[in-house]
Every structure is written in C-alpha cells, then in structure tokens.
Amino acid sequence: MTFRVHGLAEKVPDAFVEVSPELAAERNIQSGQWVRLVSPHGAIRLQALVTARVSGNELYVPLNARKAENAVNFLTGSQGDAQTHTPAYKDTSVRMELLHDVGDNPLPATNHRWGHPTPQSGVEVERKWARPDYVYPGGALPMLGDSLNARSDALGADD
C-alpha cells in the first residue's frame, strides 16, 4: 500500500504494532500508545494496537508504513527465509520500549476490523451469471460450436 489511495489511507493511516492482550496487561500498554521496537539491526517507532489477533509475547507489524523510517525492514537483518528468499520477518527478535506519548487508536472507526463482516459462502458465480447486464467473456463472438475453443478455432487463433 503506497498511501496514495485516499480510501485505503483513511482506513489504515499508518503502520502500527499489534500487541496481545496478555502482553498489554503485563506491560500496561493501551491502544494508541507509542512504542519503540529495537532489534540488533535497527529501531522503529509505532503506535500499539491491543488485539487478540496475536497471542502471548508475539508482535505483528504490517509491511507497509507511511514514513520510511517506520518500515519493518529496519528491524530485519540480511538473514532470509531459505524457501522464499524474503527477509526473516516472522522470526525477528525485538525489544519493545514504552514511550510516554499516547495518541488515538491507530485503526480509525472506518477500518473494516470494527465492522460486522457478512461472509458469503464461496464465489457466487451463479448469481453473477444471472444478472441481466452480465456478458459472458467472448459473448460477442459468433457461436460456432459448444465451446469457446470452437469459436476461437473458427477465427483462426493459434494455440
């Protein structure tokens, strides 16, 4: 996310660190409190978000930050995941320092996490196909058989 899209930047204004309720209670952290995460490779300053999405002593920092100096990349070293050849985001040890500043919750009320999701059961393609304005891909081509391949074969498309 580049924060150039107004709607996205409005829902997630900047990076934050997710802190478990257990760790927040132990360290007396509240959502909106500023913290500094320090690793052997660097440090970043973020607001805390107390959430059950993480547990115990785990922390989570999204990959995108509005300010380059708050990017999670400053905490990772040159070691990487051998399978994916990406930085070792999931196993980076940090020390969390509590700062005195407390701001608003880093996730505003417009963020989807505060809503009431209404999940659907899979992709409802039948409903899409039944719409009066739906045009099947290639629908403008003349039908010369029972399949789209027959149509493209008749037009001389190479395979």
Side-chain angles (χ1 to χ4, degrees):
M1 184 164 89
T2 63
F3 294 100
R4 294 181 187 169
V5 178
H6 176 72
L8 292 177
E10 184 179 290
K11 291 177 189 273
V12 184
D14 206 348
F16 51 89
V17 57
E18 293 186 5
V19 180
S20 72
E22 303 89 5
L23 185 57
E26 178 185 317
R27 302 282 306 273
N28 199 25
I29 300 170
Q30 58 184 317
S31 286
Q33 182 164 4
W34 287 90
V35 299
R36 179 177 295 116
L37 300 180
V38 181
S39 80
H41 308 287
I44 58 176
R45 182 179 182 267
L46 303 166
Q47 282 184 289
L49 175 68
V50 179
T51 175
R53 290 170 56 112
V54 292
S55 61
N57 289 332
E58 295 174 347
L59 301 173
Y60 175 76
V61 178
L63 296 178
N64 302 297
R66 183 178 294 271
K67 299 174 188 162
E69 64 266 18
N70 293 331
V72 69
N73 298 43
F74 283 106
L75 300 177
T76 62
S78 58
Q79 291 296 105
D81 183 298
Q83 300 295 325
T84 62
H85 305 291
T86 58
Y89 295 122
K90 294 182 180 181
D91 62 357
T92 299
S93 297
V94 297
R95 180 180 74 244
M96 182 169 51
E97 300 173 351
L98 305 183
L99 305 176
H100 297 291
D101 300 335
V102 177
D104 294 332
N105 192 310
L107 285 184
T110 57
N111 188 282
H112 68 277
R113 288 195 196 182
W114 307 125
H116 302 286
T118 53
Q120 64 184 34
S121 56
V123 180
E124 299 178 350
V125 294
E126 287 85 5
R127 204 170 102 201
K128 176 181 170 183
W129 294 337
R131 288 184 3 209
D133 63 332
Y134 179 74
V135 176
Y136 186 77
L141 296 173
M143 183 62 110
L144 298 175
D146 293 333
S147 71
L148 189 55
N149 287 340
R151 294 184 200 181
S152 59
D153 290 344
L155 293 173
D158 292 333
D159 288 352

